[in-house]
C-alpha cells in the first residue's frame, strides 16, 4: 500500500466564501468523498510518514527571527525559510552530480521577487514576471559576494542558489534575509563550504545606529550599511551614506560585526538537527611537481617583466603570453600531458607569487609606483557642448566618458520591487564594451557586473544631488568605459560628478572614488595573515592577483558609497578599517584635480543646448492644454519636437534647444496663457473694433483693450485704418485697472519715429520696454476701489487740458477698462442723457455729438493724463507687483482727512457743506477736490458758468446728491 503523508495544518477561514459551488466542483467533491469513505484495508502505523520540520528562533536588534527547514522544498540539497515579522524568504541550494573539466567555480545565485508576495497581480501583458530586474540582480550579488570565498580551493562543481520571497509586509528588505537563509541552506547541504556567515543591516538616525532598520527608518537614515562576516573575519561590506565621516563609518562597521555573528549560532544548531554529512568531492588542485616545473622555467622571466615599469597593460600582457607559449613548447617536447592541461592555471599561480613577493618584500608595484601613489590624472568637462553635460576622465590607462541627460519628472524609472520607492529619478548606467580591453564580444542584455558597478557609482553621486522639491527633473548619467585598466567604477564616479556640474545641476560638491587593494602573506599552518601591504588606486592586474578590491567614494566631508569584495576566506576587521585613511587621502588628491577643471555647476547659456522648463498652471488650464484624450498635447509635441510632462499643477517641458522651447512656449501661451507682465509682449487676435479702439483676445482667452491712442506714434483718425478683425498682432501690456482688465499698446512694440525702441512706450504706459517685467498680483474688489478713485469716468480727463503728463512707471493704473459690451451700453446711455439734458438742440435738429477723441476719452483715460495729486495705489518695486488692498488706502486717507478737519467719504451726506478746491475744468462741469482724497463733481448750468473758475480756486459747496457710482454731486453755497 502506498505510504500516506500526514501534514498537520490548522484550519483557516476561507476569505472567498462562495454560497453556491459550480456543478463541476460538486462532482469533484462527491468523488473525493466516495474515495475517502472507503476504509484502509491495512491501517498499519509503520506505513505512515510524518513531515518533520525543524525550527530555530532567535532575536537580532529586538526582532524575532526564525529559521525553518523540512516543511517546503524537501528535495533540494538544502532549503531554509527565514522569517522576520511578515517577510519570509526561501533559499535553496543544489549541486551538479557530474564532474566537468573547468578551472573555476560555476556558482550561480538567482534571487527572485514575485508579485504574489505582496498580494499583487503583475501588470505585464502576460500577467507573469519576466526577465530579472535590476534589483533582483543586485540582491543576487549581495548573496554571491560573501559566500563565494568560502568554497574550498579546487572545488569546481556547479552550484546553484535560488532565493525566493514567499511573503513580504513591506517593512523589511528581503536581501539580507535571503543571504542568511542561503548560508543556512549551505550548512544543511552536503556541499563543502566554510561557513556559516552572518549578514546584518545597520542604519543611523539622528546620530544613533539602528540594527535591522525598517524601510521607513531607512528613508530618514543617513547610513545604509550591509555587513557580512564569519566569526572573526570580514567577508563583504556594502554602504550607501550621506557623507558620513570615516570615524563614524568605522564605528558602524565595528558595531555590525557582533550583531552579524548572532545569525551564526542558530545556523549551527539547525545544521546539527537536520543537516547532511558533507560529501566527498574531487578537488582540482595543482600538483607540486607541475608547479615547480613551470616555476623553474618561467619565474625569472615573469619577474623581469613585472620589474620593468615601462611596460603598459597590453605590452605586459603580450610579454607574459610569450613566456607561456615558450613553456608550452617545452612541455610538448617532453610529452607532459598532465602539465599541459593545467598550464594556464600554473602560469597564473607563478605570476601571483612573483608579484606578491615583490610588493611584500620591496614595496614596489607592477608599474613602479609607491604603495600609496595615485596614477596620473587627466580630466576634461564639456567636451560635447550639444549634450546636457559631458566629461572625460582619465586615471592612468583607465578612461571613462560620462554624459548627462535631463528629462521631465515622468521620465523617471518605474520600479516594480516589493520594497522601496515606486520610481527612481536618478539613474546611472554603466557600460563595459569589449573594445575597452581590445577583445571581441557581443553585447547582450543586463549584465550583473555592469549593473553592480553602475549602482555603486549611482549611490555615490545620489548623496550630493539637490532635493526633488528644488530640482524635480529626471537625470540619467551614462558611463561608457573607453579603456579599462582597473577601477572603472570609481572613474565613473569622478566623471559622473564632473558631467553633472557641466550640465548645470546644482550638486553640492564633487564626488570622487578610489579603489584600495591588499596583498598579504599567510601562514600555511594556521591560515592567519602574518604580513600585508595596502595598495592605493590598484591596477586591473593588482586586482586580479591581490586579495581585496575595496572601492570607496565620497566628498571632502565624508563617504557616500563603499563596496568591498575579497578573495580569501575573510580579512580581519582591523585591516579593513585601516584602509579608510589612505583612501581618504587619495580621494582628496583626486578632488583637487577635478575642481581645477570645473569647480561649480556651469551656467548653460548656449542656445544649441537642450532646455528644460517647469511652469505652474491651474488644473483647468492644464486640461485645456492637454485637450480631449491628450490630442492637443500630442499635436504640439509632434509639431515642435519637444516633450511635455503634466503633473499636479505643473507642466514640465524638455526641448532640444532654445528655438524649440520658444516655439512650444508660444503655442502654450496662446492656448493657456501665462501671468501678465507689465512690459511683456503677447500675441493676440483682434476680436472687435470700436471707434475708441479695438478689443484683442490674447494669452489663452484673456481680453484687453487696444486704445486708438496706442495704435501708432502718429495720429490715427480711424481704428479700422490700422487693424482689422481677425488680424494677429504683437502687443505690449502697458497697464491694468482695478478690475484686472488689461491695457495693450501696439506702438510700444515699434520704434518711435526719429528715436529708438527704448523710448517711453507712449501714453498710458506704466513700464518701458526695457524695464524689468512685473507680474500682476490679484486684483481687489472693484466696488471698493471705485469709491476710492471717485470714478473719473464721469468727467474724462484730456491731456491737452492739463498739459504734458508724467508717466508713472511704478503706479498701477486707476481707471476702469470695460468690455466691449459694457462700452456699447455706456455709449447708448450717454447718448440718451446728452439728448435729454446736457446737449442743446440746434433748432429741433439732431443733438451735437462729441468728437471721436472725446468719446474715446469718456471710455478710458491714460494713466499719464492724471496730475500728480490724483490718488494712486503705491506699488512695491519687485519682480511681482504687490497691490495693497484699497480698504487700507481708504482708511489712511480718512485718518489724514480727520487730522486736517476735512470730510471723509463716510461722513459725506446730502447737505454737508465743505470748502472744495477746483481740481479740473471740464466741458460740462468741474472736478472738485473735497479733501482727504475725495472727489466730487459740479455741473455747469450753461456755458457762461465755466468762465469764472480757475484751477486751484477754493469754493464753498454742499452735497446735493450722489451719482449712480456714488460720486458726490455738489452745488454752490451762498454764505451771505
Amino acid at each position: 500500500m502506498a505510504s500516506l503523508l500526514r501534514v498537520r495544518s490548522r484550519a483557516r477561514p476561507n476569505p472567498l466564501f462562495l454560497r453556491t459551488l459550480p456543478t463541476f466542483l460538486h462532482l469533484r467533491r462527491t468523488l473525493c468523498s466516495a474515495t475517502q469513505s472507503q476504509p484502509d484495508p491495512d491501517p498499519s502505523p509503520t506505513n505512515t510518514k510524518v513531515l518533520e520540520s525543524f525550527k530555530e528562533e532567535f532575536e537580532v536588534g529586538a526582532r524575532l527571527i526564525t529559521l525553518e527547514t523540512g516543511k517546503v522544498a524537501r528535495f533540494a540539497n538544502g532549503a531554509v525559510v527565514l522569517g522576520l515579522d511578515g517577510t519570509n524568504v526561501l533559499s535553496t541550494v543544489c549541486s551538479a552530480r557530474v564532474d566537468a573539466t573547468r578551472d573555476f567555480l560555476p556558482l550561480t545565485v538567482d534571487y527572485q521577487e514575485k508579485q504574489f508576495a505582496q498580494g499583487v497581480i503583475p501588470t505585464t501583458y502576460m500577467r507573469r514576471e519576466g526577465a530579472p530586474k535590476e534589483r533582483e540582480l543586485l540582491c543576487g550579488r549581495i548573496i554571491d559576494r560573501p559566500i563565494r570565498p568560502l568554497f574550498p580551493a579546487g572545488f569546481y562543481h556547479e552550484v546553484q542558489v535560488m532565493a525566493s520571497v514567499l511573503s513580504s509586509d513591506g517593512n523589511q528588505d528581503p536581501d539580507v534575509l535571503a543571504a542568511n537563509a542561503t548560508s543556512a541552506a549551505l550548512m544543511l547541504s552536503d556541499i563543502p563550504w566554510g561557513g556559516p556567515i552572518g549578514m546584518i543591516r545597520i542604519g543611523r538616525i539622528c546620530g544613533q545606529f539602528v540594527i535591522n532598520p525598517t524601510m521607513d527608518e531607512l528613508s530618514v537614515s543617513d547610513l545604509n550599511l550591509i555587513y557580512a562576516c564569519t566569526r572573526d573575519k570580514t567577508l563583504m561590506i556594502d554602504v550607501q551614506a550621506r557623507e558620513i565621516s570615516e570615524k563614524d563609518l568605522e564605528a558602524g562597521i565595528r558595531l555590525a560585526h557582533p550583531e552579524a555573528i548572532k545569525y551564526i549560532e542558530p545556523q549551527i544548531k539547525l545544521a546539527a538537527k537536520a543537516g547532511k554529512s558533507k560529501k566527498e568531492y574531487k578537488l582540482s588542485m595543482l600538483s607540486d611537481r607541475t608547479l615547480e616545473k613551470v616555476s623553474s622555467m618561467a619565474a625569472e622571466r615573469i619577474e623581469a617583466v613585472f620589474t620593468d615599469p615601462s611596460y603598459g597593460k597590453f605590452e605586459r600582457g603580450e610579454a607574459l603570453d610569450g613566456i607561456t607559449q615558450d613553456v608550452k613548447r617545452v612541455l610538448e617536447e617532453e610529452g607532459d600531458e598532465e602539465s599541459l592541461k593545467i598550464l594556464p592555471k600554473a602560469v597564473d599561480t607563478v605570476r601571483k607569487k612573483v608579484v606578491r613577493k615583490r610588493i611584500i618584500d620591496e614595496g614596489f608595484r607592477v608599474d613602479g609606483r609607491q604603495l600609496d601613489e595615485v596614477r596620473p590624472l587627466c580630466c576634461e568637462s564639456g567636451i560635447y557642448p550639444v549634450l546636457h553635460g559631458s566629461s572625460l576622465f582619465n586615471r592612468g590607462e583607465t578612461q571613462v566618458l560620462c554624459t548627462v541627460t535631463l528629462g521631465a519628472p515622468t521620465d523617471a524609472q518605474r520600479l516594480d520591487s516589493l520594497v522601496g520607492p515606486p520610481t527612481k529619478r536618478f539613474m546611472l548606467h554603466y557600460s563595459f564594451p569589449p573594445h575597452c580591453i581590445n577583445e571581441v564580444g557581443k553585447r547582450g542584455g543586463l549584465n550583473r557586473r555592469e549593473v553592480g558597478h553602475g549602482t555603486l557609482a549611482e549611490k555615490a553621486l545620489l548623496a550630493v544631488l539637490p532635493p526633488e522639491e528644488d530640482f524635480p527633473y529626471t537625470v540619467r548619467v551614462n558611463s561608457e568605459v573607453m579603456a579599462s585598466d582597473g577601477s572603472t567604477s570609481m572613474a565613473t564616479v569622478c566623471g559622473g560628478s564632473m558631467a553633472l556640474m557641466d550640465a548645470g545641476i546644482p550638486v553640492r560638491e564633487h564626488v570622487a572614488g578610489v579603489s584600495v587593494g591588499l596583498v598579504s602573506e599567510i601562514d600555511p599552518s594556521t591560515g592567519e595573515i602574518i604580513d600585508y601591504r595596502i595598495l592605493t588606486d590598484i591596477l586591473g592586474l593588482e586586482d586580479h592577483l591581490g586579495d581585496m578590491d575595496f572601492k570607496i567614494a565620497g566628498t571632502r566631508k565624508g563617504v557616500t558609497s563603499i563596496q568591498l569584495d575579497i578573495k580569501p576566506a575573510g580579512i580581519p576587521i582591523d585591516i579593513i578599517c585601516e584602509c579608510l585613511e589612505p583612501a581618504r587621502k587619495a580621494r582628496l588628491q583626486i578632488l583637487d584635480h577635478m575642481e581645477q577643471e570645473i569647480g561649480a555647476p556651469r551656467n548653460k547659456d548656449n542656445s544649441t543646448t537642450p532646455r528644460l522648463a517647469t511652469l505652474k498652471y491651474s488644473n483647468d488650464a492644464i486640461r485645456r492644454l492637454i485637450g480631449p484624450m491628450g490630442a492637443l498635447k500630442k499635436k504640439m509635441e509632434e509639431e515642435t519636437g519637444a516633450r511635455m510632462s503634466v503633473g499636479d499643477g505643473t507642466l514640465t517641458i524638455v526641448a532640444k534647444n532654445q528655438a524649440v522651447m520658444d516655439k512650444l512656449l508660444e503655442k502654450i501661451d496662446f492656448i493657456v496663457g501665462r501671468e501678465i507682465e507689465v512690459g511683456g509682449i503677447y500675441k493676440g487676435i483682434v476680436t472687435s473694433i470700436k471707434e475708441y479702439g479695438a478689443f484683442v483676445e490674447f494669452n489663452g482667452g484673456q481680453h484687453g483693450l487696444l486704445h486708438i491712442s496706442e495704435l501708432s506714434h502718429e495720429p490715427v483718425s480711424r481704428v479700422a485704418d490700422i487693424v482689422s478683425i481677425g488680424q494677429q498682432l504683437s502687443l505690449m501690456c502697458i497697464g491694468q485697472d482695478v478690475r484686472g482688465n488689461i491695457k495693450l499698446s501696439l506702438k510700444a512694440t515699434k520704434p518711435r519715429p526719429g528715436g529708438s525702441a527704448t523710448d517711453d512706450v507712449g501714453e498710458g504706459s506704466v513700464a518701458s520696454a526695457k524695464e524689468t517685467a512685473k507680474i500682476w498680483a490679484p486684483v481687489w474688489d472693484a466696488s471698493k476701489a471705485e469709491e476710492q478713485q471717485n470714478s473719473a469716468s464721469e468727467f474724462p480727463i484730456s491731456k491737452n487740458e492739463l498739459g504734458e503728463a508724467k508717466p508713472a512707471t511704478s503706479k498701477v493704473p486707476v481707471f476702469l477698462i470695460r468690455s466691449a459690451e459694457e462700452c456699447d451700453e455706456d455709449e447708448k446711455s450717454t447718448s440718451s442723457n446728452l439728448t435729454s439734458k446736457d446737449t442743446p438742440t440746434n433748432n429741433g435738429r439732431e443733438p451735437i455729438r462729441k468728437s471721436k477723441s472725446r468719446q474715446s476719452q469718456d471710455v478710458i483715460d491714460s494713466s499719464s493724463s492724471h496730475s500728480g495729486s490724483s490718488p494712486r495705489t503705491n506699488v512695491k518695486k519687485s519682480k511681482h507687483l504687490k497691490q495693497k488692498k484699497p480698504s487700507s488706502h481708504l482708511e489712511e486717507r480718512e485718518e489724514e482727512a480727520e487730522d486736517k478737519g476735512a470730510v471723509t467719504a463716510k461722513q459725506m451726506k446730502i447737505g454737508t457743506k465743505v470748502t472744495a478746491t477746483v481740481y479740473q475744468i471740464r466741458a460740462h462741469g468741474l472736478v472738485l477736490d473735497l479733501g482727504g482724497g475725495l472727489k466730487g463733481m459740479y455741473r455747469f448750468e450753461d456755458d457762461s458758468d465755466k468762465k469764472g473758475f480757475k484751477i486751484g480756486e477754493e469754493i464753498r459747496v454742499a452735497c446735493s446728491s450722489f451719482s449712480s457710482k456714488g460720486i458726490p454731486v455738489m452745488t454752490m453755497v451762498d454764505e451771505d
Side-chain angles (χ1 to χ4, degrees), residues 7 39 47 109 199 261 316 431 442 666 699 730 834 881:
V7 181
N47 295 329
V109 179
M199 183 179 290
I261 292 177
R316 188 184 304 112
S431 179
K442 61 180 181 179
E666 181 180 340
N699 200 39
S730 292
L834 290 176
L881 293 181

Side-chain angles (χ1 to χ4, degrees), residues 505-552:
I505 299 176
V507 295
R508 291 200 302 272
E509 54 184 316
H510 270 308
V511 183
V514 67
S515 185
V516 177
L518 177 71
V519 173
S520 61
E521 184 177 352
I522 299 177
D523 186 352
S525 59
T526 62
E528 298 295 328
I529 297 178
I530 58 177
D531 197 5
Y532 64 92
R533 298 290 183 270
I534 297 175
L535 311 180
T536 302
D537 186 21
I538 58 176
L539 297 171
L541 183 63
E542 292 171 336
D543 181 13
H544 173 67
L545 302 178
D547 298 331
M548 177 181 73
D549 184 9
F550 196 7
K551 302 181 177 70
I552 305 174

Side-chain angles (χ1 to χ4, degrees), residues 121-130 416:
I121 296 176
T123 57
T124 59
Y125 178 76
M126 299 297 295
R127 298 298 187 266
R128 295 173 63 93
E129 286 79 11
D416 294 329

Side-chain angles (χ1 to χ4, degrees), residues 732-763:
M732 177 184 290
C733 172
I734 60 173
Q736 181 189 36
D737 66 1
V738 294
R739 288 185 177 178
N741 297 312
I742 310 302
K743 296 195 289 187
L744 304 173
S745 175
L746 179 61
K747 69 180 183 181
T749 62
K750 300 178 181 180
R752 185 185 299 274
S756 63
T758 58
D759 296 339
D760 291 342
V761 295
E763 298 180 19

Side-chain angles (χ1 to χ4, degrees), residues 929-961:
D929 186 356
L930 305 180
L934 185 62
K935 295 293 187 296
M937 61 182 178
Y938 169 75
R939 295 183 182 277
F940 294 145
E941 296 180 359
D942 52 44
D943 293 341
S944 61
D945 287 353
K946 64 181 178 181
K947 296 181 180 179
F949 297 100
K950 297 181 180 179
I951 295 177
E953 179 183 356
E954 292 185 353
I955 58 176
R956 191 70 175 169
V957 294
C959 179
S960 59
S961 64

Side-chain angles (χ1 to χ4, degrees), residues 580-777:
L580 296 176
E581 182 59 24
R584 186 188 69 84
K585 294 180 180 179
R587 186 171 73 245
L588 295 179
Q589 181 181 348
I590 298 170
L591 287 171
D592 291 337
H593 283 78
M594 294 168 59
E595 290 172 356
Q596 290 177 4
E597 173 61 25
I598 178 170
R602 198 185 306 277
N603 184 16
K604 305 289 284 189
D605 55 357
N606 191 349
S607 61
T608 61
T609 56
R611 299 291 178 179
L612 289 95
T614 299
L615 309 176
K616 294 186 179 294
Y617 292 105
S618 64
N619 291 331
D620 292 337
I622 291 180
R623 278 193 292 269
R624 294 200 309 271
L625 175 65
I626 296 176
M629 303 297 292
L632 190 57
K633 173 177 173 288
K634 294 178 182 178
K635 181 180 179 182
M636 288 190 293
E637 289 178 338
E638 292 174 356
E639 292 177 351
T640 60
R643 286 191 298 168
M644 293 187 292
S645 173
V646 178
D648 185 12
T650 60
L651 176 68
T652 304
I653 305 171
V654 182
K656 293 177 61 177
N657 50 51
Q658 188 63 43
V660 174
M661 176 68 74
D662 294 340
K663 186 177 179 181
L664 182 60
L665 289 177
E666 181 180 340
K667 291 181 178 292
I668 294 174
D669 292 343
F670 190 80
I671 296 173
V672 178
R674 65 178 188 269
E675 289 182 291
I676 305 301
E677 300 175 352
V678 176
I681 306 297
Y682 304 90
K683 288 188 177 182
I685 296 177
V686 178
T687 57
S688 63
I689 295 178
K690 304 296 179 181
E691 293 182 354
Y692 49 81
F695 285 91
V696 180
E697 181 180 352
F698 73 107
N699 200 39
Q702 300 192 38
H703 293 267
L705 176 64
L706 176 60
H707 191 259
I708 188 172
S709 61
E710 297 296 332
L711 289 172
S712 175
H713 294 290
E714 303 296 333
V716 178
S717 58
R718 294 178 66 249
V719 178
D721 295 339
I722 306 299
V723 297
S724 59
I725 295 178
Q727 182 179 356
Q728 185 173 354
L729 302 173
S730 292
L731 305 170
M732 177 184 290
C733 172
I734 60 173
Q736 181 189 36
D737 66 1
V738 294
R739 288 185 177 178
N741 297 312
I742 310 302
K743 296 195 289 187
L744 304 173
S745 175
L746 179 61
K747 69 180 183 181
T749 62
K750 300 178 181 180
R752 185 185 299 274
S756 63
T758 58
D759 296 339
D760 291 342
V761 295
E763 298 180 19
S765 66
V766 295
S768 65
K770 294 295 183 179
E771 188 178 355
T772 303
K774 301 179 178 62
I775 301 177
W776 294 116

